[in-house]
Amino acid sequence: MQTYAYRFPRLGRNREFKTAVENFWDNKINDKELVGLLDAVEKERLASYKKYIDIFPLGESTYYDTILDTAFIFGVYKFKNLNEYFEYARGKRALALKKYFNSNYHYLVPFLPKGIKFPLTWNKPFLYADASSFKGNPVSLIGPYTFLRLSRTENDFNSMMANLCESYKRLFAQLKTNGVHTVHLEEPAFCDDVSGDDVRLIVKNYRNLIDGDLKINLITYYGSVDFLPRLYGIPFHAFALDFVSNRENFLTLSKKGFPKDKKIICGVVDGRGIKRCNIFDAVKFTRKIQKICHASDESVLVSNSAPLFHVPVTIENETVLDASIKKNLSFAQEKLYELYLIKSAWEGKTASARAWCAHLPAERSVAKKKVFDTLSLKPGEFAQRKSIQQKVLKLPLFPVTTIGSFPQDKELRKARFEFKSKHLSLHDYDDFIRDKISGLIEKEEELGLDVLVHGEFERTDMVEYFAQRLTGFLTTENGWVISYGTRVYRPPIIYKKITRNNVLALKEMFYAQSLVPRIVKGILSGPVTILAWSYNLRPEPVYEIAFELAAALNKEAKALEANKIKIVQIDEPAIREFAPLKERDKDFYYRWAVRAFNIAAQLSPYTQVHLHMCYSEFGEIIKWILKMNFDVLTVEAARDKGKILAALSGKNFDRSLGPGVWDIHSKYPASEKTIRTILDKSIKIVGVRNVWINPDCGLKTRAWPEVETSLQRMVKIARIYRKKFKKHRVK
Ligand code: GLN
Ligand code: ZN
């Protein structure tokens, strides 16, 4: 048996990737220097593999995103230099960001126009390796079906697939001439819902694409492949299957067997969680797979179950994490070691494996599919709340607000750093934050915003901050994970019962409200999002943890309400992303997820509840959004100038809507024309009286000049619209 691993994080042990790319953007280094720095990170990444892994792909790295790279390889876009490359990620030509399946990694969405022929354009597979290094290793590529599913397509899908596969065929031929013998082809979309028509399309095109001369390892992850047996007739060299997400792949193999001539790459080490792997269970399980597949030792490989970029680089970077917890954890580097241990134990060498698993706690119990009551209000109750709130809040038409965070500048990062390194006392740090808050409040009044926010300066991150104040969480020092491009976050770790023993963020919000008569909106991160963006070590079913979190957050929300905060916003950007991929599993998930939100949002009708979601394709889950107890929904809408809002049409949406009118991933300020277009669309959908104006999301990563310009424009347009629709005002 052999070890196989893929998608080890590109970030670098000390976030060297992020530093290098951002320095390039800031013109601190040139493109040659950038390439040099990234080569060094890549070398270290490959060295991690080489230490423990028999087979790993080459060419996995990227300047920004692998899906964007695939678009460049197949001529959807072209670039001549790195500045042009990054234009597609963050410049004038920036593509939309979307969550990669049900993960918090965001990819760039290519647009494939009618008739596109996919000319081979970029030689990426040769970027990180010369022909000699291909010897034992496959070359990494995203598969055609996944690429199409993740893109926005204008043409008929079938002919596009045929054209694209022709290009893959040509690419494969080129690879072969250049000494490549194996391709690592990732098709996670095979684990999504795939229609019967698509299965036929896949089978037909792959038959034509693969001639057996070049070996193709088909890599699937994030779930099971329902149509696996249909792929048996295609001359793939190996199948990588996820055995961690659920038992379905295993059941398929038990029922349908596995072709004798193919290798099976068993994804048994969790690529997405950080719980240490029980090596002996993994060996036992892999033996079982071997048996039902009637496979020889040579045909079995062990692997990670999903890309390793979902976990931080190494646990070695954690110096203060509680030792009793640390010995139950494993990050990417350690997962490679686990694969090596599985192989060793398989071969009878068990001493190291024994030491590795000496302290493992109980396994997670499988969540039983109960039908939870979502605790939704009746439709009429929202109208009642609306009329009460109109009297309490006395807001103008088209109230202008923001989503919560404001630019976190150097000064703030410096203060945080000094506080952390004990050069600044808690008292002085608190004073500093208060000054930031009062400065912002003044600024917001000056700008003429209608509902103010305190700016979230105390929060490093919307999840980590809450995790640090709730009981039941641990946070890491260096457990960074990329969420998109060079943006990183540190997911906290849930390890015991979650309770709110201390206040979370209300001090800062009360302070902000004490400064002004104008309404300050209190902002909390939602239970599902906190759960989705944390690692979970607990054995209980996941919904129980969601309800615990929701109850803790509701305590905080109630405390806000009891202290003059009239609007409470709960952020749930992760609610769709955390959903299982397949339709048949969704009802169960959304029932408990909506219930969790509704527990957190249980407030009197005098308190207006805002739900903020972003980059979550809310259009697909309207049915569930309507079951959530909020009064105002804020969603991103700027990139496609409000087209996304059409999803709300004809759905009896009886609440208010705050469409994002400024794309906060772009460095350019909001345009007045776009603001107007989006407002006009919103008015058509929810009516004049129910439209708010706000940016797509928080402004944490933006700079003040563009923030100021954008907010000024929003206020200006709001005033124009108020005049225009004067007669609609509620007296
Ligand atoms: N309130 C958060 C902010 O403004 C929301 C962030 C998010 O939705 N991702 O930063
Ligand atoms: Zn957001």
Side-chain angles (χ1 to χ4, degrees):
M1 85 112 74
Q2 284 184 303
T3 53
Y4 192 103
Y6 58 92
R7 295 288 201 119
F8 189 88
R10 66 171 181 274
L11 186 57
R13 269 176 112 88
N14 298 304
R15 285 176 287 156
E16 293 88 345
F17 168 81
K18 176 185 174 68
T19 316
V21 175
E22 289 179 357
N23 280 342
F24 175 74
W25 291 344
D26 293 343
N27 294 317
K28 288 184 192 148
I29 58 171
N30 63 29
D31 46 1
K32 274 218 182 71
E33 289 167 306
L34 174 61
V35 170
L37 288 167
L38 294 187
D39 278 350
V41 182
E42 181 62 3
K43 242 199 195 123
E44 200 185 284
R45 210 179 67 85
L46 295 179
S48 297
Y49 278 139
K50 278 177 198 154
K51 201 160 166 198
Y52 297 120
I53 302 300
D54 299 317
I55 303 173
F56 53 87
L58 298 173
E60 288 184 305
S61 241
T62 171
Y63 299 120
Y64 197 95
D65 172 53
T66 311
I67 301 299
L68 175 65
D69 289 357
T70 310
F72 284 131
I73 294 173
F74 293 101
V76 181
Y77 307 110
K78 291 186 180 70
F79 68 96
K80 285 199 289 293
N81 52 51
L82 282 179
N83 278 317
E84 279 184 29
Y85 176 101
F86 288 120
E87 271 296 293
Y88 292 92
R90 55 196 297 277
K92 275 247 165 14
R93 296 184 216 178
L95 306 175
L97 279 169
K98 230 188 198 178
K99 284 167 187 168
Y100 192 58
F101 299 94
N102 56 355
S103 83
N104 185 30
Y105 177 76
H106 302 59
Y107 72 97
L108 291 163
V109 187
F111 172 66
L112 312 180
K114 249 187 200 134
I116 182 168
K117 286 283 177 305
F118 303 106
L120 291 181
T121 303
W122 186 35
N123 237 343
K124 183 186 174 189
F126 304 101
L127 191 65
Y128 291 103
D130 55 58
S132 65
S133 54
F134 289 133
K135 264 192 203 99
N137 300 91
V139 166
S140 178
L141 284 172
I142 298 291
Y145 182 69
T146 296
F147 181 64
L148 284 190
R149 280 281 293 251
L150 295 181
S151 299
R152 214 150 52 81
T153 50
E154 202 177 47
N155 209 359
D156 124 65
F157 197 83
N158 292 9
S159 62
M160 237 183 218
M161 179 77 173
N163 284 343
L164 183 58
C165 284
E166 281 307 317
S167 288
Y168 269 85
K169 208 170 174 170
R170 271 178 278 133
L171 177 62
F172 286 176
Q174 277 187 16
L175 289 172
K176 226 163 42 192
T177 349
N178 282 281
V180 173
H181 54 78
T182 314
V183 172
H184 165 104
L185 198 66
E186 295 191 6
E187 286 281 22
F190 284 10
C191 299
D192 214 325
D193 281 318
V194 179
S195 68
D197 281 348
D198 276 12
V199 172
R200 279 185 288 278
L201 185 72
I202 288 167
V203 171
K204 185 173 134 208
N205 282 287
Y206 263 100
R207 273 230 172 89
N208 175 40
L209 174 60
I210 299 176
D211 56 16
D213 216 3
L214 185 69
K215 294 177 190 157
I216 308 289
N217 298 341
L218 178 75
I219 313 297
T220 66
Y221 48 79
Y222 298 152
S224 58
V225 184
D226 283 352
F227 56 98
L228 184 65
R230 297 282 301 277
L231 300 171
Y232 287 168
I234 300 168
F236 289 113
H237 176 67
F239 285 99
L241 300 176
D242 169 358
F243 290 102
V244 172
S245 294
N246 55 50
R247 284 183 59 78
E248 287 164 15
N249 276 332
F250 183 79
L251 294 176
T252 306
L253 292 179
S254 322
K255 275 193 228 125
K256 307 279 178 175
F258 189 75
K260 268 236 137 20
D261 57 330
K262 293 182 177 37
K263 300 199 179 213
I264 179 141
I265 304 173
C266 309
V268 292
V269 168
D270 188 1
R272 300 180 74 170
I274 55 164
K275 217 174 181 171
R276 202 171 264 202
C277 173
N278 184 324
I279 304 300
F280 298 98
D281 285 356
V283 172
K284 236 187 268 160
F285 186 59
T286 312
R287 284 276 183 211
K288 255 178 155 172
I289 299 172
Q290 178 183 29
K291 201 164 156 208
I292 55 174
C293 292
H294 302 287
S296 65
D297 275 11
E298 288 71 50
S299 299
V300 178
L301 296 95
V302 280
S303 175
N304 42 304
S305 66
L308 289 173
F309 62 62
H310 295 302
V311 297
V313 176
T314 173
I315 193 89
E316 282 167 18
N317 276 348
E318 302 304 320
T319 55
V320 295
L321 199 64
D322 188 328
S324 67
I325 303 290
K326 200 170 154 179
K327 64 183 179 227
N328 296 327
L329 304 186
S330 91
F331 293 172
Q333 180 81 49
E334 292 73 34
K335 285 175 191 292
L336 300 182
Y337 178 58
E338 288 174 342
L339 291 170
Y340 164 81
L341 289 180
I342 293 173
K343 178 180 166 175
S344 308
W346 177 283
E347 290 164 353
K349 290 170 272 178
T350 56
S352 310
R354 230 175 275 286
W356 185 251
C357 316
H359 309 279
L360 293 186
E363 280 303 306
R364 182 157 310 161
S365 51
V366 183
K368 282 216 187 71
K369 287 200 177 180
K370 301 185 197 169
V371 180
F372 286 106
D373 178 354
T374 57
L375 307 174
S376 310
L377 294 179
K378 308 267 160 338
E381 294 179 79
F382 292 107
Q384 273 171 14
R385 289 176 62 92
K386 189 173 285 176
S387 77
I388 295 174
Q389 288 162 15
Q390 255 154 8
K391 286 181 201 116
V392 180
L393 303 175
K394 299 189 186 68
L395 289 168
L397 287 178
F398 307 103
V400 184
T401 191
T402 60
I403 301 305
S405 60
F406 267 82
Q408 303 211 343
D409 51 18
K410 272 208 186 90
E411 189 195 29
L412 176 63
R413 281 198 292 271
K414 189 168 152 246
R416 251 183 218 152
F417 180 76
E418 285 178 353
F419 172 56
K420 226 177 96 186
S421 52
K422 305 209 161 63
H423 293 297
L424 196 67
S425 69
L426 175 62
H427 183 266
D428 289 348
Y429 180 67
D430 275 348
D431 272 356
F432 173 84
I433 297 287
R434 278 170 171 253
D435 283 349
K436 294 290 285 182
I437 294 173
S438 59
L440 175 67
I441 293 284
E442 223 170 86
K443 192 92 211 176
E444 288 179 276
E445 282 199 291
E446 202 180 293
L447 283 164
L449 303 181
D450 301 294
V451 171
L452 314 188
V453 296
H454 76 289
E456 302 183 16
F457 300 113
E458 77 285 5
R459 307 181 191 175
T460 44
D461 172 278
M462 65 176 287
V463 167
E464 188 178 57
Y465 182 83
F466 285 87
Q468 278 163 342
R469 275 147 195 86
L470 287 161
T471 308
F473 283 88
L474 291 171
T475 50
T476 66
E477 287 164 278
N478 288 301
W480 299 104
V481 173
I482 292 183
S483 63
Y484 64 89
T486 62
R487 291 283 302 160
V488 294
Y489 72 114
R490 277 181 303 209
I493 303 166
I494 299 170
Y495 78 112
K496 63 176 194 196
K497 191 171 166 64
I498 297 165
T499 50
R500 173 187 175 270
N501 295 348
N502 301 300
V503 300
L504 303 177
L506 46 74
K507 240 179 36 208
E508 287 78 11
M509 297 189 266
F510 291 165
Y511 175 66
Q513 183 65 85
S514 75
L515 299 169
V516 272
R518 236 177 262 194
I519 298 169
V520 175
K521 171 165 76 165
I523 296 172
L524 300 175
S525 299
V528 183
T529 299
I530 295 182
L531 184 60
W533 293 350
S534 299
Y535 296 117
N536 175 16
L537 300 180
R538 289 182 49 194
E540 294 86 349
V542 59
Y543 50 77
E544 276 178 25
I545 295 165
F547 301 152
E548 266 175 36
L549 253 166
L553 291 165
N554 181 251
K555 268 198 193 166
E556 179 84 357
K558 287 229 165 85
L560 289 172
E561 175 176 64
N563 285 278
K564 302 200 182 74
I565 299 290
K566 298 194 184 85
I567 301 183
V568 172
Q569 173 181 306
I570 301 179
D571 296 334
E572 283 289 27
I575 200 150
R576 197 199 68 106
E577 122 201 351
F578 204 46
L581 286 178
K582 295 203 174 78
E583 214 44 57
R584 59 176 179 261
D585 303 319
K586 283 186 182 162
D587 200 75
F588 165 65
Y589 163 76
Y590 278 112
R591 279 180 175 278
W592 70 250
V594 169
R595 181 185 173 98
F597 175 85
N598 287 346
I599 291 173
Q602 240 157 33
L603 293 169
S604 97
Y606 291 87
T607 308
Q608 187 171 70
V609 176
H610 290 211
L611 162 61
H612 168 66
M613 296 206 307
C614 55
Y615 306 99
S616 47
E617 285 163 83
F618 70 93
E620 293 174 11
I621 58 165
I622 296 291
K623 172 179 152 198
W624 297 106
I625 292 177
L626 290 173
K627 294 192 197 311
M628 294 167 81
N629 298 339
F630 61 85
D631 305 297
V632 181
L633 173 68
T634 58
V635 288
E636 100 278 5
R639 263 212 190 166
D640 69 356
K641 302 195 168 44
K643 281 198 197 109
I644 191 170
L645 299 171
L648 287 169
S649 297
K651 294 288 186 325
N652 294 326
F653 184 75
D654 55 352
R655 329 289 169 83
S656 293
L657 175 67
V661 296
W662 179 30
D663 172 13
I664 54 91
H665 288 123
S666 146
K667 57 188 175 189
Y668 304 101
S671 100
E672 291 186 13
K673 197 167 151 228
T674 305
I675 301 175
R676 284 168 176 272
T677 310
I678 295 173
L679 288 185
D680 293 342
K681 283 193 179 133
S682 306
I683 291 170
K684 281 209 187 101
I685 298 167
V686 291
V688 176
R689 285 186 187 167
N690 301 313
V691 179
W692 287 62
I693 305 180
N694 46 259
D696 274 354
C697 187
L699 308 174
K700 189 163 97 174
T701 58
R702 294 271 57 94
W704 258 108
E706 70 246 24
V707 167
E708 205 160 344
T709 311
S710 302
L711 295 179
Q712 275 161 352
R713 288 178 183 167
M714 288 177 212
V715 170
K716 177 178 157 196
I717 305 288
R719 289 184 180 149
I720 296 173
Y721 271 60
R722 272 171 213 156
K723 270 211 193 101
K724 186 168 156 194
F725 292 100
K726 214 162 50 198
K727 60 175 196 302
H728 291 264
R729 227 173 53 214
V730 188
K731 303 246 167 47

